[in-house]
Amino acid sequence: MTARRFPDEPVSGSYAERLFAEALQEQLPDDAVLFCNLRFSDGREDREADVIVAWPGVGVAVVEVKGGSVSLDRGEWRQRQDGVDSVIHPVDQAVACKYLLCDYLADHPRWSAGRPRTAHLVAVPATTLPGDFMAPGLARWMALDKTDVPHAAARIRAALEKVRDKPDPPTAEDVDQLVDCLAGTAIPQQHLLAALAEREAACDLLMRDQAKVLDLLTAYHRVEIRGGAGSGKTWLAVEKARRLAAEGQRVALMCYSRGLAEFLKRRVEKLPKRQRPAYVGTFHNLGIGWGVPAGSDDDSRYWEEFLPAEMVKLAGALPEEQRFDAVVIDEGQDFAQSWWDAVLAALRDPDHGCLYVFSDEGQRIFARQGRPTVDLMPIPLNENLRNTKQIAGTFSSLAPEQMRIRGQAGVPVRFVQCAPEEAVSAADDAADALLEEGWPPEAVALLTTHRRHPVQAERQAEGQDAYWATYWQDDDLFYGHVLGFKGLERPAVVLAVNGFRDEARAREMLYVGLSRARDLLVVCGDLELIRRVGGEAVVRRLTSTG
C-alpha cells in the first residue's frame, strides 16, 4: 500500500509537479499522508501549499514545487515554463504556507496536539541544481532537484530531522486528526439531512459515470463484471437490465438475497414501464413461480439440488413467451454451481442468449462454491465510488484487488473496543448515540457478524417479507446480519463484531460488514479478533481513525 493522498486527483501546474507528487506518494509509508494544492487564508493573504507531507514519528513538511526550468541569479529566482519566463518566490511561499498551516491548526477546534515539528522545502523536479548550491533561507538539504526525486521521501525525512526548533513529531493519531482538520467533513447536526442528500447525489453522479463501461460493451452478450465493494455493480446491473428492456428484450434481473431482491424491485418500479425487466427477484422465486414446490429455509438440499434440478425440467416446457432474451445477475458469486444450468435454461436461446453477471469474489461469504458454466468475458471495476475515503480505507486491504478510492472525504471511523460477547450491547449504545446526534433512523443500520440481534430475531419471527419491509420504514433503525445485507447499504452502519460462526469465512464477512456504510462507520469489537481474521492493516485503520 502507498500513502494516502488528498485530494485523490490533485490539479497540478505542470507534469513535473504531478510526477513529483506521485513519486513521493509511492515512497512514503502507508501511515503517512500527502495533501496537494491546499489553500490557506488568514484574512490578509491567500496561499496555496503545493504539497504537505504528514509523517507519523517524523514531522510535517511543506513543499513548494516549481516545474519547468528554475534558476537563481543574484538572489532572484526565475522559472521558465511553457515558453514563459517569470520571477518567482518559492522560499517565501514555502515559509508563508508553513506558518499559515501552523496558525490554522492552532485555531482549529478539532486539533489538540499543539504545534507539530515542521519544515519548509522547495522542489524543482525538472531542474538539476549545481553541486555547490546554497541560497538565503534555503540550504541544499532543504531543496529537492531532479536527482532527488527517486528518493524524495528520504530527503524530506532528513530535512525534518535537521530542523532547529524541534517540537515532537506527530503521532499516527495526530496525523489522522490532521486529516480530519484538513480533508475531513464534519457534519453539523442542523445540516445533517442536507449533507446526506448531497453525498447521495455525489455518489449517484459517480455511479452514472460508470455507465461508460456498459457503453463499451454494447456488442458483447456474455460478460462478467467484477468489482469490489462500492464499485457500483448493483447500479450497473439495474442499468443494464433497463437498457435491454428498453430495446424490447424480455429480461430477468435476479440475485440470491431476499433483501437485495426487494431493493432491486423498488429501484425498477421507478423506471418507465417499457424499461422494466419482466422479472425482478431471487433466483429461487423464479423457480417457485414456474411451479417448483416451496421448501423450508433450513433444507439446504432443497435449495442447492432439488429446486435447480426441477427448474431445468420445467424450463424446457415453458411457453416461449415466458422465457427470457437476457438474464442479468447481481452478486453472482452467491450462486451455487448447480444453479447455472437453470439460469441458462431460462433463456430462449441457452447457447447464445444475453447473460450479464456482476460479482465480487471478496464477498463469497456462503459455504457454497460455484462459477458460471459458460465462458463470460471478464471486465474489472477497480474504483470505489460509494464509501468515504475513511471508510474505504478500513476495508481496502481485504478487497481481492487494490481499488482506487474516488469517494469524498468524510468523518473518521469510530471504534469501540469490547469483548465479542459485549459487542451487541456496545453497538446498541453507539446506535442510540447516533440517533441523539440527529441521524434519522432510516439512515442507520446495526449489523452483526455472528448471532443475530434480538430485535432482528423478533422481526424475522413474523416472516421474511415482514422483516425486510422494516428496511424501508423510517420509525426505527434496521437490524440485520452481514450475510443478509450484501449488496445493500446505509449512510451510517454500526457493526457489532460479535464473533464468527466459521472463521474460515470471517475475513470475507468482515469485508462485507465494513463496506456497508456510505458516510459513517462505527465498529464495536475486539481488536485481537479483528487482527486475527482481518490482518494488521484493518486494525491500524480502525485505531488510527477512531
Side-chain angles (χ1 to χ4, degrees):
M1 295 180 63
T2 60
R4 289 170 285 170
R5 182 171 70 178
F6 299 94
D8 192 47
E9 296 183 357
V11 179
S12 300
S14 72
Y15 291 113
E17 293 176 34
R18 180 176 177 181
L19 289 174
F20 173 78
E22 291 180 354
L24 184 56
Q25 183 184 15
E26 291 292 331
Q27 296 168 30
L28 288 167
D30 61 4
D31 59 350
V33 178
L34 196 69
F35 300 94
C36 298
N37 312 122
L38 204 59
R39 185 169 292 277
F40 294 98
S41 174
D42 65 355
R44 298 185 303 273
E45 60 178 341
D46 294 315
R47 296 279 187 176
E48 183 178 277
D50 292 331
V51 170
I52 296 176
V53 175
W55 194 339
V58 178
V60 178
V62 179
V63 187
E64 180 68 23
V65 186
K66 295 298 184 184
S69 176
V70 177
S71 61
L72 176 63
D73 184 22
R74 299 178 184 180
E76 183 177 76
W77 289 89
R78 302 193 70 87
Q79 178 187 40
R80 185 169 183 79
Q81 187 173 7
D82 298 328
V84 178
D85 190 50
S86 56
V87 176
I88 57 175
H89 305 280
V91 181
D92 293 344
Q93 289 175 279
V95 172
C97 285
K98 179 178 71 172
Y99 287 115
L100 284 170
L101 169 64
C102 292
D103 290 345
Y104 173 82
L105 292 177
D107 294 336
H108 202 292
R110 294 199 298 277
W111 178 256
S112 58
R115 184 177 182 271
R117 180 180 299 179
T118 56
H120 64 272
L121 299 93
V122 172
V124 287
T127 300
T128 301
L129 296 173
D132 59 352
F133 171 85
M134 182 173 288
L138 193 73
R140 181 63 180 90
W141 57 268
M142 303 169 71
L144 305 173
D145 71 354
K146 183 178 180 180
T147 65
D148 296 319
V149 172
H151 45 272
R155 289 294 309 277
I156 289 173
R157 182 181 191 123
L160 284 163
E161 291 172 350
K162 283 180 177 286
V163 293
R164 292 182 179 178
D165 61 332
K166 291 190 175 181
D168 290 336
T171 65
E173 290 74 18
D174 294 337
V175 169
D176 282 301
Q177 195 176 66
L178 187 69
V179 171
D180 184 32
C181 293
L182 297 181
T185 307
I187 305 177
Q189 291 182 29
Q190 65 269 30
H191 300 308
L192 180 57
L193 293 178
L196 292 178
E198 187 68 24
R199 273 274 300 131
E200 184 176 5
C203 287
D204 190 58
L205 287 174
L206 287 173
M207 298 296 183
R208 292 176 186 276
D209 187 51
Q210 284 281 52
K212 63 181 182 292
V213 174
L214 300 180
D215 295 338
L216 297 172
L217 296 172
T218 302
Y220 299 92
H221 303 295
R222 299 214 160 175
V223 176
E224 180 179 15
I225 296 181
R226 304 171 183 171
S231 58
K233 299 184 302 298
T234 296
W235 191 94
L236 285 174
V238 174
E239 176 63 11
K240 182 60 181 179
R242 183 197 69 80
R243 292 185 180 194
L244 292 169
E247 294 171 1
Q249 298 193 47
R250 192 167 194 272
V251 183
L253 173 61
M254 65 177 75
C255 61
Y256 164 69
S257 163
R258 289 187 177 102
L260 179 57
E262 184 62 26
F263 175 81
L264 295 175
K265 288 178 183 177
R266 291 179 182 246
R267 284 287 299 272
V268 165
E269 286 174 359
K270 298 178 181 179
L271 299 175
K273 285 188 177 182
R274 65 179 186 85
Q275 298 179 12
R276 297 177 190 173
Y279 174 80
V280 183
T282 64
F283 165 78
H284 300 99
N285 274 345
L286 178 65
I288 292 171
W290 287 351
V292 180
S296 167
D297 283 356
D298 300 325
D299 186 356
S300 61
R301 185 176 178 182
Y302 167 85
W303 301 105
E304 308 296 334
E305 300 176 20
F306 176 78
L307 183 140
E310 290 299 303
M311 288 178 68
V312 172
K313 294 178 184 176
L314 291 172
L318 284 176
E320 185 75 7
E321 63 271 13
Q322 291 187 25
R323 298 168 77 177
F324 303 99
D325 300 300
V327 172
V328 178
I329 295 175
D330 193 21
E331 300 290 346
Q333 75 281 348
D334 293 344
F335 276 44
Q337 191 78 26
S338 58
W339 300 356
W340 290 103
D341 286 346
V343 169
L344 296 173
L347 289 166
R348 288 172 175 165
D349 185 348
D351 294 325
H352 304 99
C354 183
L355 176 62
Y356 266 66
V357 179
F358 296 80
S359 62
D360 178 4
E361 290 299 311
Q363 296 189 56
R364 192 179 283 276
I365 60 178
F366 298 107
R368 71 178 74 92
Q369 296 290 330
R371 289 287 305 153
T373 54
V374 295
D375 291 332
L376 301 175
M377 182 173 67
I379 301 295
L381 298 177
N382 56 8
E383 295 180 329
N384 178 287
L385 310 177
R386 178 183 66 210
N387 311 95
T388 66
K389 294 182 184 298
Q390 286 85 345
I391 294 172
T394 65
F395 64 81
S396 58
S397 63
L398 302 174
E401 297 181 6
Q402 188 170 354
M403 299 186 70
R404 178 184 172 205
I405 301 173
R406 291 187 62 191
Q408 298 177 343
V411 296
V413 173
R414 304 178 189 178
F415 178 72
V416 179
Q417 168 65 31
C418 59
E421 59 270 20
E422 299 170 348
V424 170
S425 177
D428 281 333
D429 292 341
D432 288 342
L434 292 184
L435 298 180
E436 291 175 3
E437 290 174 19
W439 287 82
E442 68 271 20
V444 183
L446 192 159
L447 306 180
T448 59
T449 59
H450 186 18
R451 292 183 177 85
R452 295 174 297 168
H453 191 284
V455 174
Q456 180 186 358
E458 179 183 330
R459 291 177 177 177
Q460 286 185 317
E462 299 177 8
Q464 290 293 342
D465 291 341
Y467 165 67
W468 281 108
T470 66
Y471 179 84
W472 309 98
Q473 295 171 359
D474 59 7
D475 59 345
D476 196 6
L477 63 150
F478 181 77
Y479 294 85
H481 191 282
V482 294
L483 287 175
F485 211 73
K486 279 171 26 57
L488 301 175
E489 65 175 67
R490 271 288 195 263
V493 168
V494 180
L495 178 64
V497 185
N498 60 335
F500 300 92
R501 178 175 297 176
D502 179 8
E503 284 203 10
R505 295 216 148 331
R507 182 180 176 88
E508 291 81 358
M509 292 180 68
L510 187 62
Y511 171 48
V512 172
L514 293 174
S515 61
R516 296 306 95 196
R518 191 184 69 208
D519 302 283
L520 175 63
L521 172 65
V522 184
V523 180
C524 304
D526 178 57
L527 282 178
E528 289 307 312
L529 173 61
I530 294 172
R531 178 180 286 109
R532 187 167 71 244
V533 304
E536 187 63 37
V538 175
V539 170
R540 185 165 61 247
R541 291 292 191 182
L542 288 175
T543 55
S544 66
T545 56

Short mmCIF file of all heavy atoms in Angstrom, two decimals, residues 1 92 171 216 290 301 405 440 488:
data_model
loop_
_atom_site.label_atom_id
_atom_site.label_comp_id
_atom_site.label_asym_id
_atom_site.label_seq_id
_atom_site.Cartn_x
_atom_site.Cartn_y
_atom_site.Cartn_z
N MET A 1 0.83 -1.20 0.00
CA MET A 1 0.00 0.00 0.00
C MET A 1 0.87 1.25 0.00
O MET A 1 2.02 1.22 0.44
CB MET A 1 -0.92 0.00 1.22
CG MET A 1 -1.95 -1.11 1.23
SD MET A 1 -2.98 -1.03 2.71
CE MET A 1 -3.79 0.57 2.48
N ASP A 92 9.83 32.13 -0.08
CA ASP A 92 8.83 32.92 0.63
C ASP A 92 7.49 32.19 0.68
O ASP A 92 6.79 32.20 1.69
CB ASP A 92 8.66 34.28 -0.04
CG ASP A 92 9.90 35.16 0.08
OD1 ASP A 92 10.75 34.85 0.93
OD2 ASP A 92 10.00 36.13 -0.69
N THR A 171 2.17 11.93 16.13
CA THR A 171 1.91 10.51 16.22
C THR A 171 0.96 10.09 15.10
O THR A 171 0.45 10.93 14.35
CB THR A 171 1.26 10.17 17.57
OG1 THR A 171 -0.03 10.80 17.63
CG2 THR A 171 2.13 10.65 18.73
N LEU A 216 -19.26 0.63 -23.67
CA LEU A 216 -18.19 -0.06 -24.39
C LEU A 216 -18.50 -1.53 -24.64
O LEU A 216 -17.85 -2.17 -25.47
CB LEU A 216 -16.88 0.06 -23.59
CG LEU A 216 -16.33 1.49 -23.40
CD1 LEU A 216 -15.15 1.47 -22.43
CD2 LEU A 216 -15.90 2.07 -24.74
N TRP A 290 -42.47 -20.82 -11.45
CA TRP A 290 -42.70 -21.78 -12.54
C TRP A 290 -43.48 -23.00 -12.09
O TRP A 290 -43.95 -23.78 -12.91
CB TRP A 290 -41.36 -22.25 -13.09
CG TRP A 290 -40.64 -21.23 -13.91
CD1 TRP A 290 -41.09 -20.02 -14.34
CD2 TRP A 290 -39.28 -21.34 -14.39
NE1 TRP A 290 -40.13 -19.38 -15.06
CE2 TRP A 290 -39.00 -20.16 -15.11
CE3 TRP A 290 -38.28 -22.31 -14.29
CZ2 TRP A 290 -37.77 -19.93 -15.73
CZ3 TRP A 290 -37.06 -22.09 -14.90
CH2 TRP A 290 -36.81 -20.90 -15.61
N ARG A 301 -30.50 -29.00 1.00
CA ARG A 301 -30.58 -29.89 -0.17
C ARG A 301 -31.66 -29.42 -1.13
O ARG A 301 -31.50 -29.51 -2.35
CB ARG A 301 -30.86 -31.32 0.29
CG ARG A 301 -30.83 -32.32 -0.85
CD ARG A 301 -31.01 -33.73 -0.36
NE ARG A 301 -31.02 -34.67 -1.48
CZ ARG A 301 -31.21 -35.98 -1.35
NH1 ARG A 301 -31.40 -36.50 -0.13
NH2 ARG A 301 -31.22 -36.75 -2.41
N ILE A 405 -9.79 4.85 -4.69
CA ILE A 405 -10.87 5.40 -3.88
C ILE A 405 -11.25 6.77 -4.42
O ILE A 405 -10.48 7.72 -4.33
CB ILE A 405 -10.46 5.48 -2.41
CG1 ILE A 405 -10.08 4.09 -1.89
CG2 ILE A 405 -11.59 6.08 -1.57
CD1 ILE A 405 -9.50 4.10 -0.48
N PRO A 440 -31.24 10.36 11.23
CA PRO A 440 -32.59 9.80 11.12
C PRO A 440 -32.53 8.27 11.19
O PRO A 440 -31.58 7.65 10.69
CB PRO A 440 -33.07 10.27 9.74
CG PRO A 440 -31.82 10.57 8.97
CD PRO A 440 -30.80 11.01 9.97
N LEU A 488 -26.48 -4.26 -0.08
CA LEU A 488 -27.25 -3.15 0.47
C LEU A 488 -26.30 -2.17 1.16
O LEU A 488 -25.12 -2.45 1.36
CB LEU A 488 -28.30 -3.66 1.45
CG LEU A 488 -29.32 -4.65 0.86
CD1 LEU A 488 -30.23 -5.19 1.96
CD2 LEU A 488 -30.13 -3.99 -0.24
#
